[in-house]
Amino acid sequence: MTIPGYNGLTDVKRVGCWAHVRRKFFEAARVAGILNDCVPLKLLDRMFFLENRWHKVAPKARRKLRHSKIKRLLKQFWRWCETSDALPKSGFGKAIRYAQSQRLYLDDLLNIGQIDWSNNAAERNMKSYVMGRKNFLFSYGPKGAKANAVLMTITETAKANGLDPMTYIASLLNELSQYPESRKSQDLGDYLPWHWRQTESKTAKA
């Protein structure tokens, strides 16, 4: 499976999602009636069990844990895929073909502790935008898409930093409309979401 849009991006490293792989093996095992006795599914579930335990671990430590605990499971999983006698058009055959087509991007996750084993969380965050994008004003052209991307980024970053997006953006519009030309542009960093509470406190004192 290829994704030309993502593959065409420069200076961006693409990685895979193990949840997509697991979903296909789960469905194949369900249809075959072997959910409790499916070797690749058990290996995938063990990987996710370990990843769940390391969810709050720092990226560097998570990378080390993946190499010490998950790398072995990955070898077993790929060995099973390579030696399986599943028919190409069967559920397992399709699941194996999908996994192998993504192997390069999936294996890269071993070395990138900042990224989760699954991108389900990212997809959930984007779902509302995907559903609403056809109705967004001016979203039909590149400039409109860029404006929406900027707004979405500001909104999600504000939420990630514990801010109410509406309050934050309204405050930004109010503050920046009075931003003196004499101030240096690098001072704008004070208005980023992760600095906003300190900026508010300084403004209040002033």
Side-chain angles (χ1 to χ4, degrees):
M1 176 182 173
T2 58
I3 309 176
Y6 288 104
N7 291 336
L9 295 174
T10 57
D11 300 321
V12 173
K13 187 173 183 63
R14 179 182 157 200
V15 294
C17 170
W18 280 99
H20 284 74
V21 175
R22 184 190 179 280
R23 198 172 300 141
K24 294 182 184 297
F25 278 95
F26 177 88
E27 184 60 23
R30 186 189 65 79
V31 172
I34 57 169
L35 277 175
N36 296 322
D37 192 30
C38 178
V39 174
L41 193 58
K42 286 182 178 180
L43 291 170
L44 291 168
D45 284 346
R46 179 62 183 170
M47 294 179 205
F48 275 100
F49 171 77
L50 291 171
E51 278 291 319
N52 188 54
R53 292 175 59 186
W54 308 332
H55 183 66
K56 294 184 179 180
V57 173
K60 188 175 181 180
R62 183 154 65 164
R63 178 182 177 277
K64 289 182 178 180
L65 285 166
R66 283 176 177 173
H67 274 270
S68 64
K69 303 291 184 181
I70 286 185
K71 191 174 183 178
R72 172 179 55 83
L73 298 172
L74 278 181
K75 286 183 178 179
Q76 293 177 45
F77 174 79
W78 292 124
R79 189 181 304 119
W80 185 93
C81 290
E82 290 162 0
T83 58
S84 172
D85 57 0
L87 295 174
K89 293 187 178 180
S90 68
F92 280 111
K94 292 177 180 177
I96 292 169
R97 187 166 65 252
Y98 173 80
Q100 290 178 329
S101 73
Q102 299 294 302
R103 183 170 181 172
L104 174 65
Y105 311 116
L106 292 164
D107 284 350
D108 275 345
L109 280 169
L110 277 176
N111 300 312
I112 309 176
Q114 297 93 329
I115 299 179
D116 289 340
W117 207 240
S118 155
N119 72 349
N120 280 347
E123 289 190 1
R124 282 195 298 270
N125 283 336
M126 288 302 297
K127 188 174 182 179
S128 60
Y129 298 118
V130 172
M131 293 172 65
R133 64 187 170 189
K134 290 184 179 179
N135 298 318
F136 293 157
L137 190 60
F138 307 128
S139 186
Y140 52 80
K143 290 184 178 179
K146 183 177 180 179
N148 272 327
V150 170
L151 181 59
M152 292 175 193
T153 301
I154 292 173
T155 300
E156 291 301 322
T157 307
K159 286 158 69 173
N161 284 272
L163 303 175
D164 174 64
M166 287 290 289
T167 303
Y168 171 63
I169 293 172
S171 298
L172 275 186
L173 293 173
N174 180 57
E175 287 278 333
L176 295 179
S177 65
Q178 304 173 55
Y179 194 82
E181 293 184 7
S182 59
R183 285 188 67 182
K184 296 179 180 180
S185 59
Q186 57 260 38
D187 290 340
L188 287 169
D190 293 338
Y191 293 90
L192 293 171
W194 48 90
H195 292 152
W196 180 244
R197 286 202 172 93
Q198 296 95 309
T199 303
E200 272 191 313
S201 178
K202 289 177 184 177
T203 305
K205 290 178 181 178

